[in-house]
Amino acid sequence: MSSKKKAAAAKKINANQKAASATSSVLSAEKNRFLLPILFALAVIPLTVHMVILRVDPNETLCLGSTLYADLFSQSKAQLILLTGAVLLLLSIFQYKTFFKKRSGILTAYLAAGGVFVLFTLISAAFSQYSSLAFWGSHDRAEGALVLCCYFLLLFYAMYAYKSERDSRNIIIALGIVVTVSSAVGLFQYFGHDLLMTDFGKALAIAPWDRSRVTDMGLLSSSGRLYGTFYHWDYAGSFAAVTVPIFLLLALHAKNLRARLALWGMELLSVWILLGSTSRAGIVGVFFALIFGIIFFGRMIKKHWKISCSAFLLLIAATTGINLFSHGVLFSRIPSLLQDAAGIFQSSSETDSRSQLPIKGISAKDHSIVIVMQNNDTLNATLKDSMLLLKDNSNQTVSVETKNGESRITDPRFQQIAFGMTKMGLSKDSMGIAVSIEGQPQFFFRMDEENHFHMTNASGTIDIDSLETPPTFGFKGKEKLGSARGYIWSRALPMVPQHLLLGAGPDTFELYFPQNDLWGKYLAYGTANMQVDKPHNLYLQILLGEGGIALLAFLTIIILYLVDSFRLYALKKKYYKNQIYGAAFCLGIVGYLFAGLFNDSVVSVAPVFWIILGVGIAVNFQNHKQLPRKDSL
């Protein structure tokens, strides 16, 4: 090519760049009113805390042991999600021609995969044995099919409402509001002063007409951990897995001082939420997001290694300082994370796991409760004249002392055992026997009209006919891995073939899980009375809830997005402003997805994920179509 032609081509490229820059600047200056519902959902829903007293779905009543439930975190968020979803649907319908101008093959693929997910989510709920619960969600999770459909409305509306880099900044501001408020609330929680437990907090969270009905908040308030407004510290970790990589990348590429200070401040607060929650799932999510970040920016890191090392050392120094301030509590969960990771690859013990428990067996036989110790000593508790008569396997009376309404055995062979009376039934109008082992109630028995004993759940509403171990898959001897996730997965995986196509229905896991597996729970949790209501795995949750086809549709969206992002942002020599936004959103999504290996989807955090995913898709679409600009952050 001649020098004149090269010069002409260069002028044409510069002219196109200026035109694109001017167009983008105009777009950035315009206020995008269509994005307001998304900003509201992102900034308000995760922070919403309001007491909702609801009548429990009849399908859950017996499991819960109550007809009423007071929920502080999930129901109010779900109501806002449904309200926001309705608004987005109406806006999409009335502004269809103006709104849906973006057209491309990849956006069509996202729409198709999302449509499949929504369709099979609704079909799963309709054909579920517990359809009302599947549509509206359980009492304390509230993530039924209707809420799941609203998630996809958030995703697709964000895809089409996004217009410019100004929208990216507004998304970051909304995300920063959640980080700031949650970290401040979490600070008080961490030091044992939960604001929600104060009179001021109760006045904000509970309506005046409901305050007299609430006697116990039952929160997770304990020093050394925080959960913000996310219901549980695990979910605070999932939120941090999104925000830590986003704010880190934006802070590293900020050009002016004000942006640097604001973004580094949000990054440190996000790290505080991550470490203060002590969520190992969040740590895993951030770790893999950083790995992806190193791959994305490998060439730039190598070129600017001094700046990269300085930023890394700054983060290490900040987190180490916070850990020292907390007397080592922040890093306390990391050794157990490494231990669990190593435990996955270690061979399990061939010995019977139940041999680790204090007792070998317990059962009800007519008027007696029979307890067998590990050394085969047997204790028989027989009801006689409204009193429990205790004898061993030699028919010798076992000595007992009664104190504070609880009978405690003084015989050294059975000193770990204690019996106490407890109220049972939905109305708590009947009495039963609680068998405590090592000071903790573990097994419960109700009495019928003929004074026969029957083993039940803790509320006395469901009889337990057998303590046989249910079907299991994997994790033998490793049930305690990941805070008993090994136990949950080993019992949940055998449920997959039965629900492979359509699932059992969203938010119905609790009703299908083998809750009568008291031995397994006792071994994994240290208590036989744990009510398992979720699989602690995002992908297993979708598979068992909405079915395999819905899971494939979800994974299609994720794979399309990650591959598209990798093609756009990986291993480039130079990045422009909107590319940095796109890469940051992608790393936040990666963090959430890896945290999802150990955490579930919940209404406290899922809206953040779906909105960021939708905005990330829109930014990718814009980066494909627009020429890059050199504006500073």
Side-chain angles (χ1 to χ4, degrees):
M1 182 184 289
S2 65
S3 59
K4 289 183 179 180
K5 289 183 177 180
K6 290 181 178 178
K11 287 181 180 180
K12 186 175 181 180
I13 292 173
N14 289 334
N16 289 338
Q17 287 179 333
K18 289 179 180 179
S21 178
T23 302
S24 185
S25 295
V26 172
L27 288 173
S28 296
E30 293 178 352
K31 292 183 179 180
N32 185 1
R33 290 176 295 177
F34 283 120
L35 199 68
L36 289 177
I38 293 296
L39 296 176
F40 169 84
L42 183 59
V44 175
I45 291 176
L47 297 177
T48 300
V49 177
H50 181 72
M51 181 71 73
V52 175
I53 299 177
L54 68 152
R55 186 163 295 278
V56 178
D57 187 285
N59 295 309
E60 287 188 287
T61 299
L62 296 181
C63 290
L64 186 63
S66 175
T67 57
L68 294 177
Y69 183 79
D71 176 82
L72 194 61
F73 295 99
S74 298
Q75 293 291 338
S76 56
K77 289 181 174 69
Q79 291 171 4
L80 280 180
I81 291 170
L82 292 172
L83 176 62
T84 304
V87 171
L88 298 184
L89 185 60
L90 290 174
L91 286 174
S92 301
I93 293 172
F94 288 115
Q95 298 292 331
Y96 177 81
K97 292 183 179 180
T98 305
F99 196 56
F100 294 98
K101 289 183 178 180
K102 298 178 183 177
R103 299 183 187 277
S104 74
I106 192 168
L107 291 185
T108 302
Y110 285 124
L111 284 170
V116 170
F117 182 93
V118 169
L119 175 63
F120 277 88
T121 295
L122 294 174
I123 292 175
S124 174
F127 284 92
S128 173
Q129 182 181 349
Y130 310 103
S131 58
S132 62
L133 191 69
F135 273 109
W136 294 103
S138 62
H139 64 282
D140 65 339
R141 287 181 46 78
E143 199 178 51
L146 297 179
V147 167
L148 294 177
C149 291
C150 289
Y151 289 164
F152 274 85
L153 281 172
L154 290 172
L155 167 72
F156 294 123
Y157 189 93
M159 282 171 49
Y160 285 99
Y162 180 93
K163 290 183 179 180
S164 67
E165 292 167 8
R166 176 173 183 161
D167 293 340
S168 292
R169 290 197 295 271
N170 289 334
I171 290 291
I172 295 302
I173 291 171
L175 203 57
I177 291 172
V178 181
V179 169
T180 302
V181 175
S182 295
S183 61
V185 173
L187 181 67
F188 287 92
Q189 293 168 346
Y190 185 84
F191 290 105
H193 302 288
D194 196 334
L195 293 178
L196 296 175
M197 297 291 288
T198 64
D199 292 337
F200 175 72
K202 292 177 181 178
L204 290 178
I206 306 175
W209 51 85
D210 285 333
R211 288 172 196 165
S212 61
R213 303 172 66 186
V214 179
T215 57
D216 181 15
M217 294 282 279
L219 299 179
L220 294 173
S221 182
S222 63
S223 60
R225 278 185 175 183
L226 64 86
Y227 61 91
T229 58
F230 302 109
Y231 182 27
H232 194 278
W233 41 71
D234 279 343
Y235 307 137
S238 287
F239 175 77
V242 176
T243 59
V244 168
I246 288 178
F247 284 112
L248 175 61
L249 185 56
L250 294 178
L252 287 173
H253 288 85
K255 300 301 181 184
N256 63 72
L257 180 60
R258 187 173 67 175
R260 286 177 184 171
L261 291 175
L263 291 169
W264 276 113
M266 291 300 102
E267 172 62 13
L268 291 177
L269 291 179
S270 296
V271 171
W272 159 245
I273 293 174
L274 173 68
L275 299 179
S277 69
T278 70
S279 169
R280 296 180 295 179
I283 294 172
V284 169
V286 169
F287 174 79
F288 281 98
L290 293 179
I291 296 297
F292 270 71
I294 292 171
I295 295 173
F296 272 26
F297 296 94
R299 297 181 71 174
M300 182 175 284
I301 291 173
K302 184 177 180 181
K303 181 179 179 181
H304 303 286
W305 64 271
K306 291 183 179 179
I307 297 176
S308 302
C309 290
S310 299
F312 178 75
L313 292 174
L314 176 63
L315 275 178
I316 293 295
T319 53
T320 302
I322 296 174
N323 184 61
L324 291 173
F325 179 71
S326 66
H327 303 290
V329 174
L330 292 184
F331 289 172
S332 61
R333 298 265 283 176
I334 294 179
S336 62
L337 173 62
L338 298 176
Q339 183 179 358
D340 282 350
I344 295 175
F345 304 100
Q346 295 174 354
S347 59
S348 58
S349 173
E350 297 297 327
T351 60
D352 182 9
S353 299
R354 282 175 54 179
S355 64
Q356 304 173 27
L357 300 175
I359 66 173
K360 181 186 291 185
I362 184 168
S363 60
K365 292 184 179 180
D366 297 329
H367 300 280
S368 299
I369 299 171
V370 181
I371 303 173
V372 182
M373 310 301 291
Q374 288 294 347
N375 61 1
N376 291 322
D377 283 336
T378 302
L379 177 65
N380 291 278
T382 304
L383 187 65
K384 187 175 182 180
D385 298 329
S386 300
M387 297 287 292
L388 278 178
L389 180 63
L390 304 182
K391 291 188 177 184
D392 61 15
N393 45 346
S394 299
N395 206 32
Q396 298 295 313
T397 301
V398 176
S399 55
V400 177
E401 68 175 7
T402 302
K403 188 176 182 180
N404 298 327
E406 187 175 79
S407 300
R408 187 169 301 277
I409 299 170
T410 57
D411 189 315
R413 296 172 297 171
F414 308 110
Q415 276 186 330
Q416 297 169 302
I417 311 298
F419 297 89
M421 300 297 292
T422 183
K423 293 182 179 180
M424 288 186 165
L426 294 177
S427 302
K428 306 299 180 186
D429 54 357
S430 61
M431 299 301 294
I433 300 293
V435 178
S436 297
I437 302 175
E438 296 179 333
Q440 184 174 357
Q442 299 288 2
F443 300 94
F444 295 84
F445 297 85
R446 69 172 180 85
M447 293 174 286
D448 61 19
E449 295 81 359
E450 298 178 355
N451 287 334
H452 289 131
F453 284 114
H454 300 271
M455 186 180 291
T456 72
N457 61 347
S459 58
T461 51
I462 298 177
D463 284 354
I464 300 174
D465 300 322
S466 173
L467 291 182
E468 292 183 5
T469 301
T472 64
F473 182 86
F475 299 95
K476 183 175 177 58
K478 302 177 182 179
E479 290 85 356
K480 293 184 180 182
L481 281 178
S483 300
R485 283 165 174 79
Y487 165 74
I488 297 174
W489 297 338
S490 69
R491 271 62 174 176
L493 288 172
M495 298 161 57
V496 170
Q498 183 181 356
H499 306 293
L500 183 59
L501 184 63
L502 294 180
D507 226 4
T508 60
F509 181 82
E510 176 182 28
L511 300 178
Y512 287 96
F513 189 84
Q515 303 291 355
N516 291 350
D517 181 25
L518 303 189
W519 290 123
K521 292 180 180 180
Y522 192 4
L523 179 67
Y525 293 103
T527 174
N529 301 301
M530 180 65 66
Q531 188 74 9
V532 180
D533 62 348
K534 49 191 171 292
H536 282 285
N537 181 286
L538 171 65
Y539 311 97
L540 191 58
Q541 178 186 17
I542 296 174
L543 179 59
L544 291 173
E546 294 86 72
I549 297 177
L551 177 61
L552 286 176
F554 172 78
L555 293 177
T556 298
I557 293 174
I558 296 303
I559 292 171
L560 282 174
Y561 174 67
L562 294 180
V563 170
D564 190 41
S565 298
F566 188 85
R567 291 172 58 193
L568 277 169
Y569 311 123
L571 300 174
K572 291 187 175 295
K573 292 182 180 179
K574 193 172 185 179
Y575 293 86
Y576 299 95
K577 183 176 181 180
N578 218 31
Q579 291 176 321
I580 295 299
Y581 278 124
F585 293 140
C586 178
L587 296 184
I589 293 302
V590 169
Y592 181 89
L593 293 173
F594 275 96
L597 292 172
F598 306 97
N599 280 348
D600 312 89
S601 170
V602 289
V603 293
S604 297
V605 184
V608 176
F609 165 74
W610 291 110
I611 290 171
I612 297 299
L613 179 59
V615 172
I617 291 171
V619 173
N620 284 5
F621 176 80
Q622 191 176 79
N623 283 333
H624 275 298
K625 293 186 69 76
Q626 286 187 349
L627 292 173
R629 295 192 296 118
K630 299 181 180 180
D631 293 346
S632 300
L633 278 172

